[in-house]
Amino acid sequence: MINKIKTILRRMTPLFILLGFIIAAQLLISTKEAPEQKADEVPVPIVDVTQVQVQTVSLNLPSYGIVSPKYKTQLVTEVQGRMLSISNNFVAGGVVKKGDELAVIEPSDYEADLMQAQASLAKAKAALEEERAKGEVAKNDWKGYDGGIPPELGLRLPQLKQEQANVKFQQAALARAQRNLERTVIRAPFDGIIKARNVDLGQYVTLGTNLGELYDTRIAEVRLPLSNSDLAYLESVENPDTDVILSADLAGKTITWQGQIVRSEGVIDAENRMVYLVAEVKDPYLRGNRNEGQLPLKYGTFVTAIIKGRTVEGIVKLPRHLVRDNRVTIVNSDNSIELRQVNVVKSDLDNVYIKDSLVDGERISLTNLTNIEDGQVVKVLGEDANSSQDSDTDNSDTSEEQLASAGVQ
């Protein structure tokens, strides 16, 4: 019996050990302390800000265009003949003054025509004097006539009128011969620059032959396109007399020229739906007065333009990237965020102009915040650096006092 009990106990020993482990585990679990719960700390965004400045600005209008001469002409022949000589300045790029001789057509035929016209006029004048003398003789012959008024034919009045008309005809022929002789010399009609020359020495030209093209250098023009809505920013739409600054990149430098808007073309272009203003620049090639370092405004140059617009008060000028969907991010005095809708009156490539939406001195975030909401608290860069250091010092002192009162050395 005893052996049987020992056998049973030996076999039950593993169960007793396993049961002991289970009871010990239950005791340990029941006496385990719960871990300290801490709320997740959400980091406060740090933003950089700028203060709003309300100012009076000119709502300038950007545009662009190509410089062209106000006047240009085709030099054509009014007489025919062989090209006798061509001036050295009559080449592409040659600069000429008004009245300069550009080319000469063989004048011998026209000199002969002039001499013939002079001779014909002299002959007509002689015939007129002879007819006047005959008229005086006829008048004396009719003095004793008692039959009334002498007939005009008897006084040779029709013959006199015929000779007078012949003199006028010959005078006109002489004037025409003189003009034709003068037209054998091709002269510049105004100060300009030769765009092209189409004839050579010895070439035979006929009436209307195109000799070349001349560009006026006194005044340059630039056609500047604007949208129809942009015209509202001009002082006057009907008479847009305002300043314009033209600029172009030359030799790695930005060169500017001062111009004047002189007129509007007054119609909307059917292709691009734009209205064109015309700007003028006087003496673009600096032929009259040239300052040191100043460069000429050559025809064909592509220029950008800034047209002076209306002056408006109460405008806030902000970089374009700070305004999204006509809203700006305001940082209030308590460092809370406000997404404010603003009134954008004008924008360009770089800036946005806002009116009646912001107050002078308000702060606008320069930092691009994603998923930002109204009322969210932020930290302004550089604003609380000193206060946070003082707060850290106070917390450290408090901790030391608590440890001392608890008897911790």
Side-chain angles (χ1 to χ4, degrees):
M1 184 67 180
I2 295 173
N3 294 332
K4 188 176 181 179
I5 293 173
K6 290 181 178 180
T7 302
I8 293 173
L9 290 175
R10 187 171 62 251
R11 292 178 178 178
M12 295 295 292
T13 299
L15 294 175
F16 293 148
I17 295 172
L18 179 60
L19 181 62
F21 277 115
I22 292 174
I23 294 172
Q26 290 292 335
L27 290 174
L28 291 175
I29 292 173
S30 62
T31 59
K32 179 182 178 182
E33 294 184 358
E36 183 180 358
Q37 300 293 327
K38 291 186 178 181
D40 294 336
E41 295 183 0
V42 179
V44 178
I46 300 176
V47 299
D48 194 8
V49 297
T50 183
Q51 286 191 338
V52 169
Q53 293 182 351
V54 179
Q55 53 188 321
T56 300
V57 299
S58 295
L59 299 179
N60 297 331
L61 304 173
S63 189
Y64 57 88
I66 296 177
V67 182
S68 61
K70 183 175 183 178
Y71 303 108
K72 57 183 178 180
T73 185
Q74 301 288 336
L75 300 170
V76 297
T77 56
E78 297 177 273
V79 294
Q80 61 186 10
R82 197 171 303 280
M83 300 299 300
L84 182 64
S85 66
I86 294 178
S87 171
N88 293 332
N89 290 332
F90 192 20
V91 290
V95 177
V96 297
K97 294 183 178 181
K98 180 178 180 180
D100 282 356
E101 180 182 300
L102 303 179
V104 177
I105 298 174
E106 173 61 48
S108 57
D109 290 342
Y110 299 98
E111 290 173 348
D113 292 342
L114 178 60
M115 295 174 61
Q116 185 176 353
Q118 290 172 341
S120 298
L121 178 59
K123 183 178 179 180
K125 287 182 177 180
L128 176 61
E129 293 298 327
E130 181 181 353
E131 191 57 43
R132 282 175 178 169
K134 291 181 179 180
E136 290 296 330
V137 173
K139 188 184 297 184
N140 292 331
D141 292 342
W142 285 91
K143 282 184 178 180
Y145 178 67
D146 295 334
I149 300 176
E152 290 186 355
L153 186 59
L155 296 177
R156 301 187 66 84
L157 293 180
Q159 293 88 336
L160 179 63
K161 291 180 180 179
Q162 181 180 359
E163 295 300 333
Q164 289 175 338
N166 188 36
V167 169
K168 290 183 178 180
F169 178 82
Q170 297 301 332
Q171 287 175 338
L174 176 62
R176 185 182 302 108
Q178 288 176 334
R179 287 196 303 271
N180 287 338
L181 181 60
E182 292 173 356
R183 288 168 179 170
T184 59
V185 179
I186 311 301
R187 299 186 182 276
F190 45 70
D191 294 350
I193 183 171
I194 303 298
K195 173 63 170 59
R197 192 189 78 193
N198 303 326
V199 294
D200 289 319
L201 191 64
Q203 181 177 342
Y204 186 86
V205 295
T206 59
L207 293 177
T209 299
N210 186 352
L211 303 180
E213 191 172 7
L214 179 65
Y215 284 178
D216 183 14
T217 56
R218 294 171 296 178
I219 300 176
E221 280 190 347
V222 186
R223 296 175 71 237
L224 303 173
L226 290 177
S227 65
N228 198 31
S229 59
D230 283 342
L231 295 180
Y233 300 114
L234 295 176
E235 293 289 352
S236 173
V237 178
E238 300 300 329
N239 185 24
D241 185 11
T242 186
D243 294 332
V244 59
I245 297 177
L246 307 175
S247 61
D249 292 332
L250 299 177
K253 297 181 180 179
T254 300
I255 310 299
T256 60
W257 299 269
Q258 186 72 34
Q260 193 79 13
I261 300 294
V262 294
R263 71 179 187 276
S264 168
E265 293 188 353
V267 295
I268 299 177
D269 191 286
E271 296 182 358
N272 56 19
R273 311 305 301 168
M274 300 291 248
V275 178
Y276 284 88
L277 300 182
V278 179
E280 286 187 357
V281 179
K282 295 183 178 180
D283 193 17
Y285 278 77
L286 307 177
R287 298 184 63 182
N289 184 20
R290 183 168 186 169
N291 298 325
E292 185 177 356
Q294 193 174 6
L295 296 178
L297 178 59
K298 296 182 179 180
Y299 295 142
T301 302
F302 180 85
V303 294
T304 56
I306 300 297
I307 304 171
K308 183 179 180 182
R310 289 189 296 112
T311 300
V312 181
E313 298 179 351
I315 293 293
V316 176
K317 178 180 176 182
L318 293 178
R320 190 183 182 94
H321 69 274
L322 296 183
V323 182
R324 302 178 185 87
D325 297 329
N326 287 347
R327 295 194 304 176
V328 297
T329 304
I330 302 294
V331 180
N332 294 319
S333 57
D334 59 353
N335 287 358
S336 63
I337 290 296
E338 176 188 352
L339 299 178
R340 184 179 300 176
Q341 198 80 13
V342 293
N343 176 31
V344 177
V345 296
K346 184 181 178 297
S347 62
D348 53 35
L349 294 177
D350 300 318
N351 301 302
V352 173
Y353 301 87
I354 299 171
K355 184 174 175 61
D356 301 331
S357 302
L358 301 172
V359 179
D360 196 43
E362 283 189 312
R363 299 182 299 176
I364 295 179
S365 173
L366 297 176
T367 305
N368 184 14
L369 300 174
T370 58
N371 301 324
I372 199 71
E373 297 179 355
D374 275 331
Q376 183 173 341
V377 177
V378 296
K379 181 178 179 181
V380 178
L381 182 65
E383 186 180 66
D384 297 327
N386 295 331
S387 60
S388 56
Q389 290 178 0
D390 295 340
S391 176
D392 293 341
T393 303
D394 294 340
N395 292 337
S396 176
D397 293 343
T398 303
S399 300
E400 291 178 359
E401 291 176 359
Q402 290 175 350
L403 291 174
S405 62
V408 179
Q409 301 297 327

